[in-house]
Amino acid sequence: MAINQASSGKDIRYYQKKFWKLFLFAMISVFFFFLGTTFGYFGHMPSFEDLENPESNLATEIISTDGVTIGKFYNENRTPIRYEDLPKHLVNALVSTEDERFYEHSGIDARRTFGAALKLGSNGGASTLTQQLAKLLFHGEGSKFKPFRVIQKVKEWIIAIKLERYYTKDEIIAMYLNKADFVNTAVGIRSASKVYFGKEPKQLGVEEGAMLVGMLTNPSLFNPVRRPEKVRKRRNVVLGQMVRNNTLSVQAKDTLVVKPIVLHFQPESHKDGMATYFREFLREYMKNWVKEYKKPDGSEYDIYSDGLKIHTTIDSKIQQYAEEAMQAHLKNLQIEFFDQQKDNKNAPFVNITEDETQKLLATAMHNSERWRVMKDLEKTDAEITASFKVKTKMKVFSWRGEIDTTMTPMDSIRYYKHFLQAGIMSMEPQTGHVKAWVGGINYKYFQYDHVGQGARQVGSTFKPFVYATAIEQQNMSPCDTILDGPFMIRKGRHNVTEDWEPRNSDHEYRGMVTLKKALALSINTVSAKLIDKVGPEPVVELTKKLGVLADIPAQPSIALGAVDITVHDMVAAYSTFANQGVYIKPQFIDRIEDKNGVVLFEPTPESHDVLNKDIAFAVIKLLEGVTEIGSGVRLRTQSGGNGDRRWTGYPYMFTNPIAGKTGTSQNQSDGWFIGMVPNLVTGVWVGCEDRSSRFKGITYGQGATAALPIWGYMMKKCYEDPDLHLSKEDFERPDNLAIKVDCWSPPTVEQDTTAVPIEEEPTTDEFGM
């Protein structure tokens, strides 16, 4: 018996010794496992610098001068936000749902970890918010292979503890919410708030914040766009957690749980939203900027991930009103265009042959995205051309919204050729700051930018350059008189190759007229006489000084607008008159900052003197005549006129000084209006993509109908907005003005001088109003 007891005691001591050896070995192994993991023997571990500056894929923000984010460049649509900008209820919802003891632990919740281990993870993981942040920052989704998953979990623990050392609890919450993916192009809480609710996080309601927190468990599963009822139930779980953690009252919860999910869903895209054409222009500019302005280490900034802040000169309200005006007017005018094309067998083309038509369509086909994609697939030209004749399902643009239809790609090309396009730019003449940039009617379907890219024939909007040259060189004044009568420049003079006899668009002559009246009525013979006096070369030289980059021929015909110029250059040139003769190059960037707010770039304004103050003011007075008695008078009238159903927004009833000029090119292919008040110059062009696609007559094709209503509609909205402070005052008159600008004229009844009855519309190729 004694022997058995001794033997039994010996066995116990043996197993105890064995146990402690194994335990010690296990502890040492775990210690060295953690140590090895810490030093990166089981895969990369972030360094101190990595933890101080975690890799951030931040969107570059494009910010208007009034502080509105009008767009972004991004790989991930993520814009960081500070903890101070998070609503308290959102933080409460997050902590209550994801990590109840967040403020008690130091990165690892021992109680949750032990409980999860006992249940072998059957009730979910035990990751704290800090561990989830570690995963988001440094290794993403866990491996499906269990041994690797264990290593990754240990890494999360170590990184979480380090994060808790380096950052405050508030900073960890902000970092987590900035990094979380909410699907539907929304990465980070600020983008999610914008995409789902159209507001900043500070403005979120309790139920909205709870919905976003509820998505974090599985954003794809709890996608509010696809599964609103499932998301509503999940949101209510979050609200229940808030009650449990005493951050929401039962009464408030009972009120909120019955609310449906209400979204203001606005997924962000490079092709949608405000100022799309400007944003694309800016993207091209930034491609060159990053090559010139590099990081301290010599590498280039990445506009898609470095979180730059581009503060632009665009005013979001002026931009909005310009876009609204364009949409309202062209939607209206397009109806007229379609009506006029109903009986045109070659619609929308006018007076061109079948061969010319096929060349236009073939060019458009070769420039199409469909052609490019099929070429990349190594299809032959014959195969691609054949595919353009096969009917296919597609979405097409219309002013009533996208239409699902079936047509051949070639028919879709002809369909799109019907649409009137527009280019609009507004600029503050004293600073050169571009305030609005509308390059077309819809960037998703029409990518060509009619502000910066598209040079079109300017018609009579060129005439002020001729008048300015005459005033400067011939010491003329707006009140000087000149004969409006038949006029011819003979072959050989000013390099003309044959006799040139310009005619007025209404086929009438008015006898002696002042320069002010001649420009107001856009009299062609007077413009021709003036360029004959000064010569075309000085006019070309002046336009170059005014910033016009187009190649302008030194021919007398330029006096009537036979010149292609961009909206961008025309607005800059006219702004020189409003800025007392000083040209300022258009400026669209105020400054560029890095993600921390450090200023990287501030452009230096480029300016030079072009005309003295007196001459610039004299041109302004000439242009005021256009809106007093000329083609721009409909900005002031209310009696209407021929075609007034397409004067969108009429009557405008402006009473303040407005300087401006309409322009209409050959065959009414281009309609222009450039209007000025003392602190804003806006240029508007309207026309189809192809010059042979146009209105048949001048009533709707002229600048006074095609373009001027956009200016009137836009400015009416601008003046109604008290935040904009657009001037209604007189243009600044120079001291000791030496040029006579106040001309006597008999009282006249205001009428629209461009309301030409249809049967009287000109059929010549001369350039008119």
Side-chain angles (χ1 to χ4, degrees):
M1 188 75 174
I3 293 172
N4 289 337
Q5 286 179 342
S7 176
S8 176
K10 185 178 180 180
D11 289 343
I12 291 171
R13 286 193 298 274
Y14 171 79
Y15 286 112
Q16 285 178 334
K17 191 175 181 179
K18 198 81 169 174
F19 169 78
W20 285 113
K21 280 183 177 180
L22 288 172
F23 180 77
L24 185 61
F25 176 77
M27 289 298 100
I28 293 172
S29 297
V30 169
F31 172 77
F32 280 106
F33 175 65
F34 272 82
L35 192 66
T37 304
T38 303
F39 284 100
Y41 290 112
F42 297 101
H44 174 74
M45 284 290 286
S47 65
F48 174 79
E49 288 76 17
D50 292 333
L51 292 171
E52 285 284 292
N53 300 285
E55 183 181 349
S56 56
N57 199 354
L58 298 178
T60 286
E61 286 187 272
I62 305 165
I63 304 169
S64 68
T65 191
D66 51 332
V68 176
T69 299
I70 59 175
K72 299 175 185 177
F73 302 136
Y74 58 84
N75 295 319
E76 290 181 356
N77 181 18
R78 183 158 60 89
T79 307
I81 191 170
R82 298 174 305 169
Y83 179 84
E84 293 76 21
D85 295 322
L86 296 170
K88 183 63 177 172
H89 65 77
L90 180 69
V91 175
N92 290 339
L94 177 66
V95 173
S96 298
T97 306
E98 295 293 323
D99 192 352
E100 291 176 311
R101 285 180 291 279
F102 175 70
Y103 293 105
E104 299 169 17
H105 62 68
S106 297
I108 300 174
D109 188 338
R111 194 191 309 177
R112 286 179 70 188
T113 301
F114 185 67
L118 287 177
K119 297 177 182 178
L120 299 177
S122 59
N123 288 349
S127 293
T128 63
L129 277 175
T130 317
Q131 287 174 255
Q132 293 180 50
L133 175 60
K135 181 166 68 173
L136 287 171
L137 287 175
F138 297 109
H139 67 73
E141 285 300 314
S143 171
K144 301 297 182 183
F145 185 50
K146 284 290 176 69
F148 288 171
R149 184 72 192 100
V150 170
I151 293 173
Q152 288 178 331
K153 202 68 180 175
V154 171
K155 285 183 177 181
E156 284 177 24
W157 290 343
I158 296 168
I159 295 170
I161 292 170
K162 287 185 176 183
L163 287 171
E164 292 272 353
R165 286 185 196 165
Y166 297 144
Y167 296 100
T168 67
K169 291 287 187 180
D170 292 351
E171 288 172 331
I172 288 171
I173 284 176
M175 290 171 69
Y176 175 77
L177 287 173
N178 280 329
K179 189 68 178 174
D181 189 350
F182 292 87
V183 299
N184 293 315
T185 75
V187 181
I189 190 65
R190 189 176 181 206
S191 291
S193 299
K194 289 273 192 179
V195 168
Y196 292 114
F197 300 110
K199 57 180 72 172
E200 293 288 341
K202 272 282 190 187
Q203 301 168 319
L204 290 172
V206 175
E207 75 283 4
E208 293 169 337
M211 188 207 86
L212 293 176
V213 169
M215 292 177 65
L216 293 169
T217 303
N218 188 331
S220 296
L221 178 63
F222 297 112
N223 183 337
V225 177
R226 295 184 176 181
R227 303 180 182 89
E229 184 56 28
K230 185 181 285 289
V231 170
R232 188 184 71 83
K233 291 177 180 178
R234 176 61 185 164
R235 178 203 67 185
N236 291 347
V237 170
V238 174
L239 294 172
Q241 285 295 108
M242 294 176 72
V243 171
R244 172 180 161 176
N245 286 272
N246 300 314
T247 58
L248 185 70
S249 68
V250 175
Q251 293 86 350
K253 177 209 164 190
D254 291 342
T255 301
L256 295 173
V257 293
V258 297
K259 287 188 175 184
I261 297 294
V262 179
L263 302 177
H264 185 55
F265 185 55
Q266 295 177 310
E268 296 186 357
S269 163
H270 298 310
K271 294 184 178 181
D272 297 319
M274 181 182 287
T276 46
Y277 292 88
F278 172 73
R279 280 153 42 196
E280 190 57 34
F281 168 79
L282 185 61
R283 186 205 307 275
E284 292 301 314
Y285 172 85
M286 290 301 295
K287 286 180 181 178
N288 294 319
W289 183 89
V290 297
K291 295 175 182 177
E292 186 174 353
Y293 300 91
K294 298 186 178 181
K295 295 179 181 179
D297 63 3
S299 63
E300 291 184 3
Y301 286 98
D302 187 335
I303 65 170
Y304 301 104
S305 63
D306 280 337
L308 300 178
K309 292 179 174 61
I310 306 173
H311 293 268
T312 71
T313 62
I314 296 292
D315 186 295
S316 70
K317 289 192 171 183
I318 297 178
Q319 179 72 30
Q320 175 188 336
Y321 299 147
E323 292 183 5
E324 288 176 358
M326 177 274 293
Q327 291 163 2
H329 180 56
L330 291 193
K331 183 177 182 180
N332 181 19
L333 193 61
Q334 190 68 53
I335 296 171
E336 186 68 36
F337 190 88
F338 278 130
D339 284 346
Q340 290 195 15
Q341 297 296 331
K342 284 179 180 176
D343 298 325
N344 180 6
K345 294 181 179 179
N346 195 29
F349 307 112
V350 179
N351 293 340
I352 64 172
T353 66
E354 179 63 21
D355 285 345
E356 291 170 328
T357 301
Q358 291 306 315
K359 285 180 182 178
L360 281 175
L361 296 176
T363 299
M365 178 177 68
H366 284 85
N367 291 334
S368 70
E369 180 68 7
R370 182 185 185 88
W371 185 280
R372 185 192 67 78
V373 170
M374 294 187 74
K375 265 295 183 184
D376 288 344
L377 295 174
E378 299 183 349
K379 300 291 184 181
T380 66
D381 286 4
E383 289 174 317
I384 300 173
T385 301
S387 76
F388 273 80
K389 300 174 183 177
V390 178
K391 287 188 174 183
T392 183
K393 290 182 178 180
M394 64 178 72
K395 285 182 183 290
V396 296
F397 169 81
S398 85
W399 281 113
R400 299 187 306 275
E402 289 183 325
I403 299 174
D404 288 304
T405 188
T406 300
M407 64 171 70
T408 69
M410 185 58 75
D411 285 343
S412 74
I413 289 175
R414 188 182 281 267
Y415 169 73
Y416 283 133
K417 294 289 186 184
H418 283 74
F419 280 94
L420 294 162
Q421 299 293 328
I424 307 164
M425 183 176 127
S426 294
M427 175 173 145
E428 189 175 69
Q430 292 77 23
T431 62
H433 288 179
V434 175
K435 295 299 180 182
W437 182 302
V438 184
I441 60 175
N442 185 294
Y443 186 77
K444 181 177 179 180
Y445 288 94
F446 307 96
Q447 278 89 45
Y448 194 73
D449 183 355
H450 292 283
V451 170
Q453 287 179 293
R456 295 293 291 248
Q457 201 169 87
V458 297
S460 293
T461 56
F462 191 88
K463 290 177 180 177
F465 307 148
V466 179
Y467 280 67
T469 306
I471 292 172
E472 182 179 46
Q473 292 204 355
Q474 303 290 317
N475 296 316
M476 301 182 78
S477 84
C479 303
D480 286 350
T481 57
I482 193 168
L483 178 64
D484 171 21
F487 177 71
M488 180 181 291
I489 295 179
R490 295 293 181 181
K491 178 180 178 180
R493 181 170 171 80
H494 301 311
N495 302 314
V496 298
T497 55
E498 57 184 44
D499 291 350
W500 182 57
E501 185 178 9
R503 295 182 178 87
N504 293 330
S505 61
D506 58 3
H507 307 292
E508 294 182 2
Y509 299 108
R510 295 167 180 80
M512 296 301 293
V513 293
T514 63
L515 290 191
K516 185 172 183 177
K517 184 175 182 179
L519 185 62
L521 301 182
S522 209
I523 299 174
N524 287 338
T525 58
V526 172
S527 295
K529 284 184 177 183
L530 291 177
I531 203 167
D532 182 51
K533 282 177 178 286
V534 300
E537 289 82 6
V539 176
V540 172
E541 184 181 347
L542 176 64
T543 59
K544 294 299 181 186
K545 290 179 181 177
L546 291 169
V548 174
L549 300 178
D551 185 18
I552 300 173
Q555 294 288 335
S557 60
I558 65 175
L560 308 188
V563 179
D564 288 1
I565 304 175
T566 64
V567 173
H568 175 276
D569 287 0
M570 288 298 286
V571 171
Y574 269 62
S575 293
T576 305
F577 303 134
N579 193 37
Q580 300 187 322
V582 178
Y583 170 82
I584 298 184
K585 185 177 180 179
Q587 183 174 314
F588 49 90
I589 291 178
D590 180 63
R591 66 188 184 280
I592 298 175
E593 299 173 347
D594 68 10
K595 64 181 179 181
N596 299 313
V598 177
V599 176
L600 303 174
F601 171 71
E602 287 183 289
T604 302
E606 298 179 34
S607 66
H608 58 260
D609 293 339
V610 178
L611 300 166
N612 69 44
K613 293 181 180 180
D614 289 7
I615 296 172
F617 186 72
V619 176
I620 289 291
K621 298 305 287 185
L622 284 170
L623 292 170
E624 285 183 349
V626 174
T627 68
E628 293 167 356
I629 61 169
S631 55
V633 74
R634 63 185 63 176
L635 291 171
R636 306 187 184 283
T637 64
Q638 57 181 328
S639 56
N642 194 32
D644 58 12
R645 60 180 177 163
R646 304 303 180 198
W647 304 355
T648 313
Y650 183 85
Y652 312 106
M653 299 298 292
F654 295 119
T655 58
N656 55 294
I658 299 170
K661 188 71 190 80
T662 57
T664 309
S665 68
Q666 276 180 314
N667 298 321
Q668 306 81 234
S669 296
D670 307 272
W672 288 78
F673 182 70
I674 303 175
M676 299 187 282
V677 296
N679 60 349
L680 193 71
V681 177
T682 300
V684 182
W685 166 85
V686 171
C688 288
E689 183 179 293
D690 293 289
R691 299 179 198 223
S692 56
S693 178
R694 57 180 175 80
F695 284 104
K696 296 178 180 178
I698 200 169
T699 298
Y700 300 105
Q702 63 180 313
T705 303
L708 179 144
I710 292 178
W711 192 93
Y713 192 108
M714 167 191 163
M715 290 299 291
K716 201 170 182 180
K717 281 182 168 287
C718 287
Y719 278 131
E720 289 169 355
D721 191 326
D723 294 333
L724 291 179
H725 307 294
L726 289 189
S727 175
K728 289 187 176 182
E729 304 300 316
D730 291 326
F731 287 86
E732 185 177 351
R733 190 184 185 100
D735 295 332
N736 304 314
L737 179 65
I739 299 176
K740 183 179 180 181
V741 296
D742 300 312
C743 316
W744 180 87
S745 60
T748 58
V749 177
E750 287 183 348
Q751 59 180 345
D752 188 343
T753 60
T754 63
V756 184
I758 292 177
E759 62 271 19
E760 296 179 18
E761 287 175 3
T763 57
T764 67
D765 284 341
E766 296 302 329
F767 305 93
M769 300 163 282

